[in-house]
Amino acid sequence: MSIATMLLQLGRGLIVTVEIFLLTLLFSLPLGLLFSFGRMSRNVIIRNLTKIYISVMRGTPLMLQLIVVYFGPFYIFRIGLEGYRFTAVIIAFSLNYAAYFAEIYRAGIESIPVGQYEAAKVLGYGKGQTFLRIIMPQVIKRIIPPVTNETITLVKDTSLAFVVSQAEMFTLAKQIAAAESNIMALMVAGLFYYVFNLFVAVIMERLEKASSYYR
Amino acid sequence: MNLLQISHMKKSFGTLDVIQDISLTVTEGEVLAIIGPSGSGKSTLLRCATLLERMDGGSLSYLGEKAAWEEDGRCVYANKNELKAIQKVFGLVFQNFNLFPHYSVIKNITDAPINVNKLPRAAAYEQAEQLLGQLGLRDKADAYPYQLSGGQQQRVSIARALALNPKLLFFDEPTSALDPELTGEVLKVIRQLARSHMTMVIVTHEMQFAREVSDRIIFMEQGMIQAEGTPEEIFHSDRERVKEFIGKYN
């Protein structure tokens, strides 16, 4: 296989990797906020259910979660789903990352001094307004560093999709390496992950700078 | 009609009765100072009066509108909309300012008028600029709270409260987080407000200030009003405890 062919194949895989990455962020960021509300809920049942959920998602391997989400429907309902592979990958990644994001949001929300809520209340802000106008902007600033960490981990975690044979970059690199008896493709894939993450880091740094106009 | 009326307010945290039984009224244009040692329940009284804390017994009303009252020995509060209307009667200035750090000074002052009271933007900004001028902060409109001294921050928080045109302004130890120099500039602003007959209830440890600015002083201890009177009556009280307390500050 020529280097050009290899790069082309890895490039195609990279597109799938980027898709998994972006869709996971798109779903897990809002879902995580929802779970963080559940985690802080005054309702004991909701609070504990969310707590157990987060504990399981963080306490078991993402690889296993991928397998369960992908093969689960077949074993439980005896149905084979056409074209379900990619969807399963996105569902598993989103559910897993939402659990981590939920804890980041919770830490951020709980770090805002109670005086901010009290000032808003006395000024007549409603609960929704208080959260959206006063609390959330401050939370976002505080959680950028931990969210950056998770986002960078996500870039690398997309490679776990190989376990359900999703043809993302790492899966392809492994196949090429096996066929050619040469780890070159894996090294190149590693380089691609690194460059991808450099890009992610630059964007997050910009976000951090954009929110540094106040302390 | 009394602007504020509190009758037999009670509040406890667990087994600790922070407010035993307090009744007081505030009439329009009056400046009431509340003094007393730490832990006497002054701040809790203010927090209950401003609806930040729920009282356990007694009643609370503004301009004759009941915010809370007693029914079958339990304290009941008015519904959400009624409380929202009552909330507009008063403002509160906190000990540690509680400005919104992500908003500039002018946004801190205009955000609630625009988004809560639905005041047109231009009117809100005009009013805010006038307030800033009055409080000597004209050149700070675009600064962020972290760029200001404590005294400036507290003046901004006073402007923020005034921007909603409250009929009554509460101050919870407004100078306790400030050094003497900065204390002076905040007290000056409160004096200004007193001269313009703003109705105020001020919890403070600044005895001379309380004496000079208030029409009436309440001395609190152990969750009760121990003495009440004009500044002269309080400062020349023959009650041993009041004398002892005030003596410590002179």
Side-chain angles (χ1 to χ4, degrees), chain B residues 97 137 148-156 178 182-183 185-186:
Chain B
F97 333 134
L137 294 161
L148 305 177
S149 73
Q152 289 167 334
Q153 289 190 48
Q154 191 58 298
R155 282 184 284 154
V156 173
L178 305 173
L182 300 178
T183 295
E185 61 182 62
V186 171

Side-chain angles (χ1 to χ4, degrees), chain A residues 122-177:
Chain A
V122 173
L123 291 168
Y125 289 89
K127 281 208 166 113
Q129 275 183 319
T130 302
F131 187 74
L132 291 175
R133 303 193 64 82
I134 310 300
I135 305 303
M136 205 52 197
Q138 299 184 56
V139 168
I140 289 172
K141 178 188 168 80
R142 291 182 190 207
I143 64 173
I144 290 174
V147 166
T148 304
N149 259 338
E150 282 309 313
T151 310
I152 285 175
T153 305
L154 172 60
V155 170
K156 295 174 289 177
D157 273 359
T158 54
S159 62
L160 289 172
F162 86 90
V163 78
V164 293
S165 307
Q166 174 63 50
E168 44 67 57
M169 184 165 59
F170 190 76
T171 309
L172 293 176
K174 233 172 60 118
Q175 283 168 4
I176 298 169

